Every structure is written in structure tokens, then in C-alpha cells.
Amino acid sequence: MISNILALIKSESGLKAKQELLRSHMHNADLLDILFLTYSPSVNFGVVDIKPNTYGSKQLEDFILRLKAGELSREQLQAMLDSLDKTNQPWMQKMLNGNLGIGLAATSINAVLGYEFIWDSSKHYMRCSLPTKKAIEKFDWDMAIVQEKFDGSYCEMGAFGLRTRNGNIYPSIHPLHIYTGISPGILMGELVCYRDDKALPREESNGILNSLMQGTEPADDISIRYHVWDWKANDDGECDLPYTKRLAKVQEIVNSLALDSITCVDYQVVSTFEEAKAIAIDYIKQGKEGAVAKERMGIWAPTTSKQMMKLKAEAECDLRIKELVAGDALGKHADTFGSIRCESEDGKLVVDVSGFTDKQRETIAVNPNHYIGKIVAVKFNNIMPADGARPASLFLPRIQKDGDGIMVRDKDEADTLERIQEIIESGFVISGEDK
């Protein structure tokens, strides 16, 4: 049974031993299907923390074909779960939550199989480095290119359609779908939703795009624009064309399409980090996310590129801990907590903060009352404005460390929303710059 194999893999203590055990079962198509259904980013069952009401006598193998077919309602998934025996029910619960907890991830599974069985975004996505002192010194600033960093959803366009960073393909109802495959190679950029010619906040924009992925078309007053900044010939490894030539290819393709919905990202040419930083700060003052600096001779590679630097604002504020937010019942932090909910002094800003080490989680979970009500330092990149009844929040909040612990302030009052707005407007420390 698949459940027996999964239990055996989980019981092994080392990665190599787990991989060897998987290798001995590579012929088991049902096992591979369960691994794919669990870890492939293209599979999303749309349920969270589903629990059995009863149990039956069936096994996971009995439902694989139906699970692979997709488009299952919560009621159908619940019925499947309830008909499984007690041994198989926990495995289905973990599968639906996207982690079997056996100590193997997509990369390890692909290594055993010898090919990209499960989409691995690390092989398809180039990440920016941060502007540390060392990185700034080594960066080639001669005619470097600085572009606005859009606050949207990363997307690639090619013969395959429109693809997210995780490898999901948008359905054909996407407004830009009819233009995919018209031009050679792969375009890279960001999707942003607009209303009345104004970019929507990241959360709302990405919510619309997530709904679109599930088959719900956007409202008539919403337009989707694709802001493009890079190009490569195919999906295979590096593209050694210098960035100036790749950017010229982007401009050529965008100009040939001549669409308001597909644009090439504007850029400026600089010769120093200070010039690039000034441009980033100007974007931030406009309420945008920041900028990206790129070496003109930089190549494309699926790694954290030292030839591409992210320039985003970073600030720090003091918030009050209100409560611990429970972790996923089947996840890694089920026995501690998922995040801590914090508030500004006036209650106009509420945010769930993460960024804890396992040791910090254990310390806090053992004695939560020692922390609830205390003022802690929180780093963040921007303020997410209030939306209707929902209070303001922070973009990319993470707890500030103090050695092995978290930074607890010796004060009685947290910052108000007005003070936090002053902090982000006056600070403009670029993330990583002081390291």
C-alpha cells in the first residue's frame, strides 16, 4: 500500500536513506501520482484543514484517478476522506494540504527520478540580490539599468501560455491568452490589475488574478496589464545574451504587438549606486515598491543574481503583541504557532508577523503570556492601506531579532499608524544596504 511506503520513507532519518527508499519504489505509478498531487504547484484542491467525520475501508489507491481528474468540490473530497480507513485518512489530509511530512521535497524527489517530475521554480526563476556593502562594491555600475519594481504577480508568457512563478498556467479566459505564442521565446514580467487607469493594491490585484486562475473572469471595470522586463529563448538553463540585448528583444516584441495591455518597463541609465538609490526612493515616495538595478552585461541564470539588485525600502516600527495565531494543524508549526498578531497603539493597523526561528517559536509557545501585551520591533517594507472595514497592515512584516530571542522593547506604548507612516516616509533605508 502507498501508506506503508510513505510511512517507511518518513521513518528513515537521513535524506539519502529516504531517497534510496523512494528509488526502490520508482516503479510504483500510484506512489508517483500521490507525490505529484501533493507537491506539484499546478495542483490545488482548494481546501484547508479538512477533517474526517467517520472512516471506512478504502485506500488512497482507490481515488487516484478521480483526484487526478480534478474539479472536485469540498463535499466530494470530504466523502473520499470519510471512506478511507484510519491508516490512509491522515495521508490524504496531508496530501490536500500540500505536504506529506516525509522529509522529501520536490527537489529531492526530482533528483531521484532524474528529471523535473515536479515543477521546480528554482530552475526557472532569477532572483535579485540585496544591496549589501560587498554587493554594491562588486556591482558594475557603468551604464547600469534601473527599472521600477512593480508590486504585482510574476508571470511568464510563451508558447505554453501564461505561467506563474510556481509553474501554474492561467486558463484560456485570461485576457492576454490570445497573444501567447505569437512571439518566439519567453517574456518575463509582472501582471498588475488596474481600475480607472490606477494600479490596485497588491493584495486586491493578486486576489483578482488568483480568482482568474480558478476560472473566474475579472469584473468589467478591471483591466490587466503585463509589464515586461526580460526575455530568453527557451526554458533550458542560462541565457548568455547580455541584458541590454535581452531588453532590446523585449522592446522589439512589445512594439510589434502594439498593445496597451503589454508594455516594456521604463528604465533609466546610471553610473553609481547613489543614482540608483535616488531613483528607487523617488518610486517609493510615489507609493511604489522600489526599483531594480541591472548590470548591462548581466546574463540570465536561474539563481540569485549578483548582476541584478533589488532596491526596496525597509523600516522598523514598534507594535503590541495581541495573540499567537495557530499554525496549520498538519504543518510544521502545529505544536507552536504560525505567527503573532500585532497592533499599532491606536488599533488602526493589524498584522500577522512571522520570521521566527524554531527555537524562538518553542520559547514563546511555552510561555505565551510572557509575550502577549509586550511591545516588539517589527521590520517591514511598506504599509498596506485599510480596505473598508479591514484595518491597515504591513507588507512583508518580520520580527526583529535580538541575539537568539526577539526584540522586546522596554516601553509601554506601540507606534500609532500615523507614526508608522512617518517612519516609512522619512527612513528610506534600502533593504540590505547596512550589511
Side-chain angles (χ1 to χ4, degrees), residues 261-277:
S261 55
I262 303 179
T263 63
C264 179
V265 175
D266 290 335
Y267 66 91
Q268 299 180 53
V269 177
V270 302
S271 57
T272 67
F273 169 70
E274 290 304 321
E275 291 177 353
K277 179 179 176 180

Side-chain angles (χ1 to χ4, degrees), residues 114-134:
Y115 67 100
E116 196 175 353
F117 172 63
I118 297 170
W119 174 268
D120 183 355
S121 61
S122 69
K123 297 185 179 298
H124 301 271
Y125 181 65
M126 182 166 66
R127 294 158 295 281
C128 295
S129 59
L130 289 175
T132 62
K133 292 178 181 178
K134 184 177 180 180

Side-chain angles (χ1 to χ4, degrees), residues 145-171:
I145 293 168
V146 179
Q147 300 165 329
E148 176 186 345
K149 188 177 190 310
F150 281 86
D151 194 11
S153 179
Y154 178 80
C155 180
E156 296 174 347
M157 177 186 283
F160 44 74
L162 293 155
R163 183 170 68 192
T164 70
R165 183 177 301 171
N166 288 330
N168 294 329
I169 304 296
Y170 280 99

